[in-house]
């Protein structure tokens, strides 16, 4: 009897990370993360923790109140996809056309060791947390997951706790991957890292266009 009661909540607990992680694809953000912190493991650990916390906040708010906020302002999900896709595409375009030399990147990496906690918090949100980690696709998926939460106060509280736990599991995975992203890129080597960064920039550009196209298609479907 108890297992039958808990089964839906256990399913929801693991459904959240299994749904959001493929959309987030943290490995695609690893080059940007390493370019931000350099090879300083201490800064990487602090920034990874802050990005994970930021992502937890974004996912939690999106699941619990996202649908209510959009309804209040009269904003539809297709509009969110178009606007967010534009941001992702613009970020990918900037990364794809960046002409920074290796020496300049090394100088930036050395300066990251002097970052204060306030600077780490500021740099952790844009563009690493948003739109690269918890972008419009993740927010849309989180809002969709949260739409199934019952409105009955008691059931809402129980489902909210389970949803936050699922988001915390997702954030924990992000922390582990980002903290060890430099090791992953070390295995690729300098040339492999450069190729991966350019390739992921192109992928981000394509993802942004795809998100915008999905939003535009939904708007056309609604208008008919």
């Amino acid at each position: 009897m108890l297992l039958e009661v808990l089964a839906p909540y256990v399913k929801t607990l693991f459904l959240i990370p299994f749904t959001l992680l493929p959309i987030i694809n943290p490995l695609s953000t690893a080059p940007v993360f390493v370019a931000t912190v350099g090879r300083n493991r201490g800064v990487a650990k602090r920034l990874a923790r802050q990005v994970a916390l930021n992502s937890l906040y974004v996912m939690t708010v999106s699941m619990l109140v996202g649908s209510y906020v959009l309804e209040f302002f009269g904003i539809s999900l297709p509009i969110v996809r178009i606007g967010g896709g534009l941001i992702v595409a613009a970020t990918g375009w900037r990364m794809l056309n960046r002409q920074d030399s290796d020496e300049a990147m090394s100088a930036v990496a050395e300066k990251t060791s002097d970052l204060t906690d306030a600077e780490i918090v500021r740099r952790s949100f844009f563009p690493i947390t948003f739109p690269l980690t918890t972008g419009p696709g993740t927010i849309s998926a989180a809002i969709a997951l949260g739409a199934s939460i019952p409105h009955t106060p008691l059931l809402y509280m129980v489902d909210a706790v389970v949803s936050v736990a699922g988001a915390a599991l997702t954030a924990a995975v992000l922390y582990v991957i980002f903290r060890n992203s430099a090791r992953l890129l070390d295995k690729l080597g300098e040339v492999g890292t450069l190729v991966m960064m350019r390739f992921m920039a192109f992928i981000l550009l394509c993802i942004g266009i795809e998100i915008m196209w999905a939003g535009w298609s939904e708007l056309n479907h609604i208008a008919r």
Side-chain angles (χ1 to χ4, degrees), residues 88-110:
V88 173
T91 301
W93 179 259
R94 287 195 300 268
M95 291 175 58
L96 192 62
N97 291 275
R98 186 171 56 192
Q99 301 296 329
D100 297 337
S101 64
D102 293 338
E103 290 77 10
M105 291 299 297
S106 298
V108 172
E110 290 177 0

Side-chain angles (χ1 to χ4, degrees), residues 147-164:
S148 61
I149 297 178
H151 294 283
T152 305
L154 180 59
L155 294 178
Y156 179 87
M157 290 299 298
V158 176
D159 279 67
V161 171
V162 175
S163 298
V164 172

Side-chain angles (χ1 to χ4, degrees), residues 170-194:
T170 307
V173 174
L174 295 178
Y175 170 74
V176 172
I177 293 178
F178 286 143
R179 181 179 178 181
N180 297 281
S181 57
R183 298 179 183 177
L184 171 64
L185 298 185
D186 284 340
K187 295 181 180 180
L188 295 175
E190 293 183 2
V191 176
T193 299
L194 180 61

Side-chain angles (χ1 to χ4, degrees), residues 61-100:
V61 171
S62 298
M63 285 189 292
L64 299 185
V65 301
S67 59
Y68 299 103
V69 173
L70 293 181
E71 183 179 352
F72 177 80
F73 287 102
I75 301 175
S76 62
L77 283 178
I79 295 298
V80 174
R81 290 191 176 97
I82 292 176
L86 181 61
I87 296 176
V88 173
T91 301
W93 179 259
R94 287 195 300 268
M95 291 175 58
L96 192 62
N97 291 275
R98 186 171 56 192
Q99 301 296 329
D100 297 337

